[in-house]
């Protein structure tokens, strides 16, 4: 018997640390970790100890003889990774944290944001003695995209919040939710009260298509749609035209697949999740029966991961459609897929697309259509989106050997009243900090924020997560990213490079009480959480989300 990692894998890598035989890879310090879809267990090395099962925060690990039928492909996925990347004899070198001499006193750190990168940073910081952390978030609720981005029908992925709850509830961690940095407190004031400030604000913006008609009503960012159905208070009042039978999603990453799945899943199935009530009602009245997902390159270069693709094929009463002609590889892609350089995950993507292409569709069922080698050219409509014109692409080799999509003369037009662009998140500038507009990140070196003019680190200022490295990776990828940033803070503190706060910690409490009297602490968040869970339990759901700031604050003030 061996253990197998399956779909919910969050790349947290907690399992790596507890494995006594180093059979879980890639580890955060291996080159493959930055681009891996998930982690894998080597079946030939696994000793069946089960330590990884207990450590996994999202319950993604099972014994091979206990796998559900739908998870059977993960046996091959785990084993094939190690055929490509055989086990080495040595443990990789982990990130090391500098020792903090007791005479340096208590290290005080502010973290702006409360998503995965922020929570992982707080974990690393509070793992040392004499460290106090203040976490700030502009919303009354924590956890960022775990709450407002993870699809409601992936509840296992949200299990990581159990780890986050354990850290934000510590006595050395002080939560200041419903406090906006730049409005209620400035960057300068944060530095006056702390040795260091970590910006872990994620990537709140989205990328544009830059095509005619993109701004027509009915054309939206998929990130807005995701925030809407997840009950983000800034997007709860949005409306989306679900009256037509077809929706088109531009881009084929995991967010695109999430959105497609939500659009065609039986609303009564979604009614058992924490999908926002307003979204559930809208989907119950939806006429959408087909979702077309446009990918500009071929199945070998698709941006989605295999676990998300496999999940599409397991949907009830939904067909996944692929044109056999588009599932065929061009000569360059075929040569790459058959080369030693190809990862097993690429081979599986191609195999799965071709398997979908071999199926006969049932016209009575809803469908998700995966289109390859297509790009949007223009969104058409008189006052709102009515059609999208797409162009057929061909793959050409770039001077670096990569395959790029080049438009041909072949076009077609699809009728649709809903176009969702899913071409990536993008970081937005942070007040009083430098910003790399080309990359959409705060310029930094290993987490130390860099002043572009001097090329030197800005003392006491750091970044973690997507605003540090760009919107890449999954939830657990932030763990290593944040640990790297925290190691820079410990190095700088130990070396005396951080200025001693000029204001006492108690003065921060007074300042925030005056500037943001409606701030929510950890106990307030617990009351919100309790209210949502109780409301959900009454109707057989994990929670019913509060979607307005006012209702959240009311719940936070409830006694008993």
């Amino acid at each position: 018997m061996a253990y197998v990692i399956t779909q919910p894998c969050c790349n947290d890598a907690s399992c790596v640390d507890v494995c006594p035989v180093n059979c879980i890879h890639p580890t955060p310090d291996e080159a493959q970790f930055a681009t891996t879809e998930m982690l894998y267990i080597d079946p030939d090395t696994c000793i069946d100890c089960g330590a990884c099962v207990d450590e996994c925060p999202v319950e993604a690990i099972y014994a091979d003889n206990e796998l559900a039928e739908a998870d059977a492909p993960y046996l091959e996925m785990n084993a094939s990774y190690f055929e490509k990347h055989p086990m080495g004899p040595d443990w990789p070198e982990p990130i090391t944290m500098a020792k903090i001499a007791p005479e340096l006193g208590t290290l005080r750190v502010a973290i702006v944001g409360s998503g995965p990168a922020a929570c992982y940073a707080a974990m690393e910081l509070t793992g040392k003695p004499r460290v106090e952390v203040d976490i700030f978030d502009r919303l009354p609720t924590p956890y960022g995209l775990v709450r407002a981005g993870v699809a409601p029908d992936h509840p296992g992925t949200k299990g990581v919040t159990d780890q986050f709850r354990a850290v934000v509830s510590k006595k050395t961690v002080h939560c200041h939710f419903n406090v906006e940095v730049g409005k209620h407190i400035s960057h300068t004031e944060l530095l006056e009260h702390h040795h260091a400030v970590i910006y872990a604000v994620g990537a709140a913006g989205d990328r544009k298509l830059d095509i005619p008609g993109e701004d027509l009503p009915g054309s939206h960012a998929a990130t807005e749609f995701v925030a809407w159905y997840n009950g983000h208070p800034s997007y709860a009042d949005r409306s989306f035209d679900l009256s037509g039978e077809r929706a088109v999603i531009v881009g084929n990453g995991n967010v695109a697949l999430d959105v497609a799945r939500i659009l065609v899943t039986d609303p009564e199935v979604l009614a058992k999740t924490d999908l926002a009530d307003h979204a559930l009602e809208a989907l119950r009245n939806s006429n959408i029966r087909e979702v077309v997902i446009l990918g500009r390159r071929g199945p070998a270069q698709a941006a989605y991961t295999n676990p998300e693709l496999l999940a599409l094929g397991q949907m009830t009463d939904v067909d996944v459609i692929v044109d056999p002609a588009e599932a065929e590889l061009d000569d360059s892609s075929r040569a790459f897929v058959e080369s030693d350089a190809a990862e097993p995950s690429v081979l599986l993507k191609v195999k799965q697309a071709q398997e979908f292409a071999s199926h006969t569709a049932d016209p009575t069922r809803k469908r998700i259509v995966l289109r390859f080698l297509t790009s949007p050219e223009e969104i058409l409509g008189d006052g709102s989106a009515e059609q999208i014109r797409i162009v057929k692409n061909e793959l050409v080799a770039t001077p670096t050997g990569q395959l790029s999509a080049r438009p041909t003369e072949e076009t077609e037009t699809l009728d649709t009243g809903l176009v969702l662009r899913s071409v990536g998140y993008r970081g937005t500038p942070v007040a009083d900090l430098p910003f790399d507009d080309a990359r959409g990140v705060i310029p930094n070196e290993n987490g130390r924020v860099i002043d572009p003019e001097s090329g030197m680190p800005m003392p006491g200022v750091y970044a973690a997560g997507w605003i540090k490295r760009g919107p890449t990776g999954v939830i657990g990828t932030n763990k290593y990213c944040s640990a790297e940033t925290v190691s820079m803070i410990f190095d700088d503190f130990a070396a005396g490079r951080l200025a001693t706060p000029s204001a006492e910690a108690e003065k921060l409490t007074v300042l925030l009480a005056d500037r943001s009297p409606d701030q929510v602490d950890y106990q307030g968040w617990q009351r919100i959480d309790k209210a949502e869970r109780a409301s959900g339990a009454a109707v057989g759901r994990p929670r019913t989300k509060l979607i307005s700031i006012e209702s959240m604050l009311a719940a936070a003030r409830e006694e008993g």
Side-chain angles (χ1 to χ4, degrees):
M1 186 183 79
Y3 284 92
V4 180
I5 300 178
T6 65
Q7 190 272 332
C9 178
C10 67
N11 289 29
D12 171 279
S14 298
C15 53
V16 171
D17 296 334
V18 300
C19 178
V21 293
N22 189 25
C23 73
I24 305 177
H25 291 262
T27 61
D29 22 28
E30 292 178 278
Q32 294 86 1
F33 184 80
T35 57
T36 192
E37 294 186 342
M38 54 182 286
L39 304 184
Y40 306 93
I41 294 176
D42 180 13
D44 294 331
T45 307
C46 177
I47 60 173
D48 312 333
C49 70
C52 56
V53 178
D54 295 333
E55 193 69 21
C56 179
V58 294
E59 300 182 2
I61 306 177
Y62 297 89
D64 57 9
N65 61 354
E66 296 178 351
L67 281 177
E69 183 178 351
D71 289 331
Y74 289 97
L75 275 169
E76 179 183 351
M77 289 170 64
N78 278 251
S80 61
Y81 178 84
F82 293 94
E83 293 173 5
K84 174 69 177 178
H85 303 284
M87 291 279 292
D90 302 319
W91 288 85
E93 289 295 324
I95 289 177
T96 57
M97 300 288 179
K99 293 183 178 180
I100 308 298
E103 55 266 26
L104 289 176
T106 297
L107 171 63
R108 288 158 53 188
V109 181
I111 303 177
V112 183
S114 67
C119 289
Y120 283 126
M123 281 184 196
E124 294 291 343
L125 287 164
T126 58
K128 292 264 192 178
R130 299 178 301 281
V131 178
E132 292 193 358
V133 174
D134 288 291
I135 298 180
F136 297 83
D137 198 294
R138 67 184 184 87
L139 294 178
T141 56
Y143 308 146
L145 283 182
V146 178
R147 178 179 170 93
V150 173
D153 59 345
H154 280 1
T157 305
K158 300 184 183 186
V160 72
T161 57
D162 291 338
Q163 283 191 341
F164 298 164
R165 184 181 299 109
V167 69
V168 299
S169 64
K170 287 185 175 181
K171 291 183 179 180
T172 53
V173 175
H174 312 287
C175 298
H176 308 282
F177 303 144
N178 202 41
V179 175
E180 185 172 349
V181 174
K183 177 182 177 182
H184 298 116
I185 186 170
S186 69
H187 169 69
T188 300
E189 288 171 327
L190 286 178
L191 284 175
E192 289 173 354
H193 290 84
H194 302 88
H195 292 89
V197 181
I198 302 174
Y199 285 87
V201 295
D206 63 272
R207 298 186 182 277
K208 304 281 284 186
L209 297 173
D210 294 326
I211 61 172
E214 182 175 13
D215 296 325
L216 282 171
S219 171
H220 310 268
T223 55
E224 296 177 5
F225 189 73
V226 170
W228 170 76
Y229 67 61
N230 272 315
H232 191 294
S234 298
Y235 297 89
D237 62 349
R238 303 295 172 91
S239 61
F240 299 88
D241 185 359
L242 308 180
S243 63
E245 293 195 356
R246 176 188 289 133
V248 175
I249 303 174
V250 180
N252 63 4
N254 284 348
V255 172
L257 269 58
D258 281 346
V259 170
R261 217 174 46 250
I262 294 297
L263 282 169
V264 294
T265 294
D266 182 346
E268 298 316 308
V269 173
L270 295 175
K272 299 174 183 177
T273 72
D274 66 355
L275 186 87
D277 283 346
H278 59 264
L280 181 60
E281 185 62 24
L283 290 167
R284 279 181 167 141
N285 294 300
S286 170
N287 292 326
I288 290 177
R289 296 191 56 77
E290 177 180 280
V291 180
V292 179
I293 300 176
L294 305 179
R296 62 188 176 89
R297 295 187 293 173
Q301 298 86 21
Y304 51 68
T305 62
N306 279 299
E308 292 297 330
L309 183 62
L310 290 168
L312 286 192
Q314 294 163 3
M315 295 181 68
T316 302
D317 296 328
V318 176
D319 283 327
V320 181
I321 309 297
V322 176
D323 184 332
E326 293 184 4
E328 288 300 315
L329 300 181
D330 64 288
D331 291 341
S332 297
S333 294
R334 185 177 298 106
F336 171 72
V337 167
E338 294 174 353
S339 73
D340 292 337
E343 290 289 333
S345 59
V346 174
L347 302 175
L348 186 55
K349 283 182 182 179
V350 173
K351 177 182 176 182
Q352 188 64 47
Q354 293 176 344
E355 183 176 328
F356 287 143
S358 69
H359 295 167
T360 301
D362 182 343
T364 66
R365 291 155 62 103
K366 294 180 180 180
R367 58 175 59 189
I368 294 173
V369 182
L370 298 177
R371 297 291 306 268
F372 298 102
L373 293 168
T374 55
S375 294
E377 197 172 62
E378 183 176 5
I379 298 172
L380 308 165
D382 183 11
S384 64
E386 297 172 359
Q387 296 178 318
I388 183 169
R389 185 168 64 240
I390 60 177
V391 61
K392 191 73 174 176
N393 296 328
E394 60 183 1
L395 293 178
V396 295
T398 66
T400 61
Q402 301 296 313
L403 292 177
S404 178
R406 181 174 65 187
T408 67
E409 298 297 319
E410 183 180 346
T411 65
E412 65 178 292
T413 301
L414 301 176
D415 292 333
T416 181
L418 179 62
V419 178
L420 299 170
R421 64 179 182 274
S422 184
V423 290
Y425 288 82
R426 176 179 169 79
T428 56
V430 176
D432 301 320
L433 293 185
F435 189 70
D436 182 340
D437 192 61
R439 296 181 57 216
V441 299
I442 296 173
N444 71 93
E445 290 181 2
N446 302 322
R448 290 187 179 106
V449 174
I450 300 298
D451 181 348
E453 293 186 4
S454 67
M456 300 297 292
M458 297 176 64
V461 188
Y462 304 83
W466 281 2
I467 199 64
K468 168 188 172 182
R469 68 181 191 276
T472 60
V474 293
I475 291 171
T477 314
N478 294 291
K479 185 176 183 180
Y480 185 81
C481 174
S482 294
E484 180 184 58
T485 296
V486 170
S487 73
M488 299 296 105
I489 295 176
F490 285 146
D491 283 348
D492 291 343
F493 186 54
R497 290 189 286 264
L498 300 182
T500 301
S502 59
E504 298 176 357
E506 292 75 14
K507 291 186 177 181
L508 179 63
T509 303
V510 175
L511 182 150
L512 292 175
D514 178 59
R515 302 266 189 87
S516 182
D518 287 329
Q519 69 171 302
V520 175
D521 59 11
Y522 175 73
Q523 287 73 27
W525 155 238
Q526 285 298 93
R527 295 185 193 104
I528 295 172
D529 184 51
K530 181 179 178 181
E532 290 185 338
R533 290 178 183 273
S535 179
V539 291
R541 305 175 66 184
R543 72 171 64 236
T544 301
K545 286 181 178 176
L546 299 172
I547 60 168
S548 71
I549 300 295
E550 293 74 18
S551 62
M552 293 175 184
L553 295 180
R557 299 187 192 106
E558 285 289 330
E559 295 294 336

